[in-house]
Amino acid sequence: MSKSEKHSCPTETITATYHTHHDWQDAEPLSTTVTTALAEAMDADPTEIGPLYDQFDPDALDGLFHPRPDGVARTGGHVSFTIDGYRVFVRSDGFVSVHLIDGDD
């Protein structure tokens, strides 16, 4: 592994409560991947964590990073938000991480 490869994605080296990667070729929307990741981190069923639209707009998240109409991927963007004591971080390349927020933050 080259030096640039080691540092190309520093957030993946952070110990996450849970992390995954959204597959843009899958029919599942990004908001479903985020909901599943959050449920996994919380050790809960996705239906038990409450609707995410109480915290953010899933349709807006789905559209934010969805590939352009010509199929070209969107790059360089990210969004993060907190929900029920967890910080959720989503990158345009599909990387999703969910971290338990330390009570001292």
Side-chain angles (χ1 to χ4, degrees), residues 30 34 61 65 77-81 88-92 95-96:
L30 176 60
V34 170
L61 179 64
F65 298 131
H78 69 272
V79 65
S80 67
F81 58 92
V88 179
F89 180 82
V90 183
R91 281 194 327 225
S92 60
F95 178 75
V96 178

Side-chain angles (χ1 to χ4, degrees), residues 12 16 18-23 28 30 32-34 36-38 40 89 91 93-98:
E12 287 178 296
Y18 184 83
H19 65 268
T20 191
H21 195 273
H22 178 72
D23 180 1
E28 176 178 279
L30 176 60
T32 300
T33 301
V34 170
T36 302
L38 186 58
E40 287 287 332
F89 180 82
R91 281 194 327 225
D93 66 357
F95 178 75
V96 178
S97 65
V98 182

Side-chain angles (χ1 to χ4, degrees), residues 70-88:
D70 62 2
V72 175
R74 298 182 191 273
T75 60
H78 69 272
V79 65
S80 67
F81 58 92
T82 57
I83 182 171
D84 295 334
Y86 289 82
R87 176 147 307 136
V88 179

